[in-house]
Amino acid sequence: MDNMAIVTEGLTKKFKDLVAVDHVDIEVKKGEIFGLLGPNGAGKTTLIRMLCTLTYPTEGSASVASYDIVKEAGKVREHIGLVSEKMIMYDRLTAFENLKLFGKLCNIPKGTLQKRIDELLKLVHMEKWAKSQIGTFSTGMKQRINVIRALLNVPEILFMDEPTLGLDPQSTSEIREFIRNLNVKDKATIILTTHQMIEADMLCDRVGIIDKGKIVALDTPRNLKRIVAGADMTSVDVDIPNLTNEMVTTLKSLSGVVSVVREHETHLLIRARGEDAFDMIIDSIRQNGGKIASIKSLEPSLEDVYLHITGKEMRADVKGKVKSFQGDGHGPMGGRRSRVR
Ligand SMILES: Nc1ncnc2c1ncn2[C@@H]1O[C@H](COP(=O)(O)OP(=O)(O)O)[C@@H](O)[C@H]1O
Ligand SMILES: [Mg+2]
C-alpha cells in the first residue's frame, strides 16, 4: 500500500434517496495524474469532497496519504490541497492578501509563507498583480490565484475539481501546462475531475469514468480507447452542404448507427458499429440526395468510450458547453487525429 496515494473501498454517499457516489473502489498511485471523467451530476465533486474530508461518507472507507478520511481527517488535510469548483476568495482583498489569509489558516509560518506566495505568484505569471484586488480580475486570473492557493502548504496530493471550467482558451492551456509541470517537476499526485474528454486524454495517466455515482471504467486513456476499437466502433465526421433533417433521421434509423450529432448546420458526427459502417453511411447520405463535401473517420476518443460504455452521449448532458469542447477536440493540442480515407 506504500505506493498508493489514495485507496477507497466501497465509498458511498447518499443524499436521502439519491446515491451520489455509489460503492467506489479506486486506487490512485503516488505520482499519478488520475482523472475522474463524467457528465454534470455524475458524483465527481461529492467524491472529491469526501476524500478532502469536507463531507462524511455514508458507507465505505478511504485513505488519503495513508490516513483514514474519517478517523484521521486532520492528518489528511495536512497532506492535501484542493482547488475547488467554487472559488472562495475575497474580492476586496488583493491577491497577496487572499493568499496570506489562507496560508495563515494552514498554519504556515510567516517567513516561509511570504516566500512561498512570491514563488507561486511567479509560477502563474501573476507577480505583477499581487497588490491588485481580486475583484478586478478576469476569471482566468482568479483561477490562477485559486490554483496556487491550494499549493501554499506544498501538498503531496492535489485535488482539482474542474480546474479549467469556464476559462478562456489561453488560461485553459496555461493551467493544463501548470498541472503537468506540478506533476513532473514536483512529483505531486493529482486527482482531477473534468467533463472534458480532451482534458482527461491530454493530462491523465489513468482515467476513471464515472456515471451516476459508479465507476464504470478505469484504465489509461489508451487502453480505454482500445475497448472501443475492439468493439469495432467507427466515428465518422462528415460535411454535407445540402444536409436535411430527413438525411439525419434516416441515418439515425440505420441498424449499426449508435448516434448522430449535428454539430453545425452542415456537419454531422456519426458513431456506428460494424465493419461496413463507413460505406453504409455514405450510401445512405447519397440515396437521400446528399452531397458529401468531406468525410473522414476518426480514431476513437474518450467520448466514444463513454458512449460505448454508458450507451449515451456525454455531450448531451453538457448542453451549452458543447461548443468549447468541440473546439478543443480539433485544436492544435487535440488528442484526436483523424484518419482520412
Ligand atoms: N449537498 C447535496 N444535497 C443533495 N444532493 C446533492 C448535494 N450535493 C450533490 N448532490 C447531488 O448529487 C449528485 C452528484 O453531484 P456532484 O457530485 O456535484 O456531481 P458532479 O460534480 O459530477 O457534477 C447530483 O445529482 C447532485 O444534485
Ligand atoms: Mg462537480
Side-chain angles (χ1 to χ4, degrees), residues 15 18 20-21 38-47 85 161-162 210:
F15 296 108
L18 178 91
V21 175
N40 292 335
K44 304 180 295 293
T45 297
T46 308
L47 179 52
E85 210 177 15
D161 197 1
E162 310 240 18
I210 183 163

Side-chain angles (χ1 to χ4, degrees), residues 13-16 18-21 36-49 55 85-86 161-162 193-195 210 212-213:
K13 178 79 184 185
K14 291 181 188 154
F15 296 108
K16 298 201 175 110
L18 178 91
V19 190
V21 175
L36 276 169
L37 177 69
N40 292 335
K44 304 180 295 293
T45 297
T46 308
L47 179 52
I48 295 285
R49 286 177 56 82
T55 186
E85 210 177 15
K86 296 196 180 70
D161 197 1
E162 310 240 18
T193 80
T194 183
H195 64 257
I210 183 163
K212 296 197 194 104

Side-chain angles (χ1 to χ4, degrees), residues 37 43 140 149 164 275 279 295 313 332:
L37 177 69
R149 201 193 81 185
T164 63
E275 238 174 72
D279 297 334
I295 184 162
E313 286 276 346

Side-chain angles (χ1 to χ4, degrees), residues 138-187:
S138 69
T139 316
M141 291 160 81
K142 276 189 192 165
Q143 181 63 338
R144 285 162 210 232
I145 303 300
N146 191 39
V147 168
I148 59 174
R149 201 193 81 185
L151 299 172
L152 286 170
N153 62 339
V154 199
E156 279 162 48
I157 304 173
L158 180 65
F159 292 90
M160 305 182 103
D161 197 1
E162 310 240 18
T164 63
L165 185 68
L167 298 189
D168 58 280
Q170 173 73 22
S171 304
T172 297
S173 94
E174 284 189 20
I175 296 275
R176 285 178 183 161
E177 192 55 40
F178 184 72
I179 294 171
R180 211 180 271 123
N181 276 338
L182 269 181
N183 176 254
V184 174
K185 292 196 191 130
D186 300 347
K187 310 267 178 284

Side-chain angles (χ1 to χ4, degrees), residues 37-42 44 85 162 165 194-197 210 261 303 306 312-326:
L37 177 69
N40 292 335
K44 304 180 295 293
E85 210 177 15
E162 310 240 18
L165 185 68
T194 183
H195 64 257
Q196 303 196 38
M197 308 282 179
I210 183 163
V261 178
E303 278 169 85
Y306 182 81
K312 56 183 193 251
E313 286 276 346
M314 182 147 127
R315 54 180 72 198
D317 296 3
V318 287
K319 273 214 171 95
K321 304 217 169 78
V322 168
K323 278 276 179 302
S324 70
F325 120 61
Q326 277 167 6

Side-chain angles (χ1 to χ4, degrees), residues 243-245 248 260-269 326:
L243 181 65
T244 61
N245 288 336
V248 177
V260 181
V261 178
R262 192 166 187 168
E263 295 203 300
H264 314 285
E265 204 49 32
T266 67
H267 209 83
L268 294 179
L269 183 64
Q326 277 167 6

